[in-house]
Amino acid sequence: MKVPNHIAIILDGNGRWAKAKGMPRALGHKQGSKNVEDMCEIMDDIGVKYFTVYAFSTENWNRPDKEVTGIMSLLRNYLKTGIKRANKNNMRIRILGDISRLDEDLQESIVETEKATAANTGLQFQMALNYGSRDEIRRAVTKIAEKVEAGDLKATDITEDTISASLDTAGIPDPDLLIRTSGEQRLSNYLLWQCAYTEFYFTDKHWPDFNKEELLKAIDSYNNRDRRYGKVTEE
Ligand code: IPE
Ligand code: IPE
Ligand code: MG
């Protein structure tokens, strides 16, 4: 079995998972957050090098205040123990997205976590927070335009690599496999540039129920794909 180098997940269905059990949505998010921690260990165990989850989108601010506050407090808890756990597992944590809209204490914890785990060489874990791919591309274009304005870059020298290197995922290889849980089959503004040649896998399982067995099913499906990158494959 060929293990993908980079797996990206759109973790969806926390709310539906809770609803099906007659529980409040907040409990679904709590269970979902625990599953992110478990999944990092599983990814590392099976030999995945990069794992990127979509935890909070630029559009998720439109949810009720109480739900947003609940998700932010789960993030706060996650970051509290994050450095210790990451260093124990040699895991590097990076955040994708515009963190400037988050509470100041969260921004500080994020900077500290990224710094404290930067030299770890095991699982490279990315969490997308206040992330939207269109916003990421907009920010990248601004950065590039500023270089052109300053005379440090010629407009005609802008390559695809210039753009990749200006995104939040700079230096991180594109995902090989993208998984979305809970039945929806859309990208919801996730990694639009980076998923140009990524294989997609959709499952009806809600995120809190997505476990090692389900991950192996996704990887098995990936192994049966014929990745072409625009080429023809042999008859
Ligand atoms: C995913 O679960 C978590 C976030 C988007 C923050 P949802 O909260 O979207 O769960 P459903 O889709 O309503 O079931
Ligand atoms: C996508 O899930 C965003 C995250 C997983 C963070 P949503 O549940 O917010 O997406 P839509 O609204 O179904 O497209
Ligand atoms: Mg959802």
Side-chain angles (χ1 to χ4, degrees), residues 10-19 25 28-29 32 54-57 60 63 67 71 180-182 184 186 206-208:
I10 300 175
L11 55 90
D12 200 11
N14 287 349
R16 279 164 280 177
W17 178 87
K19 193 175 178 205
R25 291 178 64 85
H29 291 312
Y54 202 5
F56 193 84
S57 72
N60 286 147
R63 294 191 178 199
E67 180 166 348
I71 293 171
R180 180 164 188 154
T181 58
S182 211
E184 306 316 324
R186 55 175 170 261
H206 300 312
W207 171 248

Side-chain angles (χ1 to χ4, degrees), residues 149-167:
E149 248 173 24
D152 295 332
L153 180 67
K154 269 172 64 186
T156 46
D157 285 344
I158 297 170
T159 62
E160 291 187 6
D161 287 342
T162 316
I163 298 169
S164 293
S166 307
L167 297 172

Side-chain angles (χ1 to χ4, degrees), residues 27-130:
L27 275 179
H29 291 312
K30 191 165 177 213
Q31 197 58 33
S33 150
K34 185 175 176 302
N35 201 34
V36 170
E37 287 178 32
D38 292 347
M39 198 48 65
C40 281
E41 299 205 2
I42 293 165
M43 291 283 179
D44 193 32
D45 279 352
I46 66 174
V48 172
K49 188 72 192 168
Y50 296 87
F51 173 38
T52 304
V53 297
Y54 202 5
F56 193 84
S57 72
T58 45
E59 289 73 29
N60 286 147
W61 295 106
N62 296 324
R63 294 191 178 199
D65 286 352
K66 207 176 128 217
E67 180 166 348
V68 171
T69 314
I71 293 171
M72 291 301 151
S73 86
L74 285 170
L75 173 64
R76 198 166 270 116
N77 286 342
Y78 175 85
L79 290 167
K80 242 177 229 158
T81 50
I83 296 179
K84 212 168 142 202
R85 215 177 28 249
N87 284 341
K88 194 178 111 219
N89 297 325
N90 193 24
M91 174 172 90
R92 177 173 186 180
I93 302 178
R94 271 177 280 190
I95 303 300
L96 312 179
D98 179 6
I99 65 165
S100 69
R101 195 172 164 183
L102 304 180
D103 287 350
E104 207 131 317
D105 70 302
L106 286 173
Q107 294 185 40
E108 282 165 17
S109 299
I110 286 168
V111 171
E112 199 189 338
T113 302
E114 289 188 329
K115 219 167 118 195
T117 65
N120 291 348
T121 55
L123 183 74
Q124 306 289 294
F125 174 56
Q126 289 70 237
M127 194 186 318
L129 285 175
N130 187 29

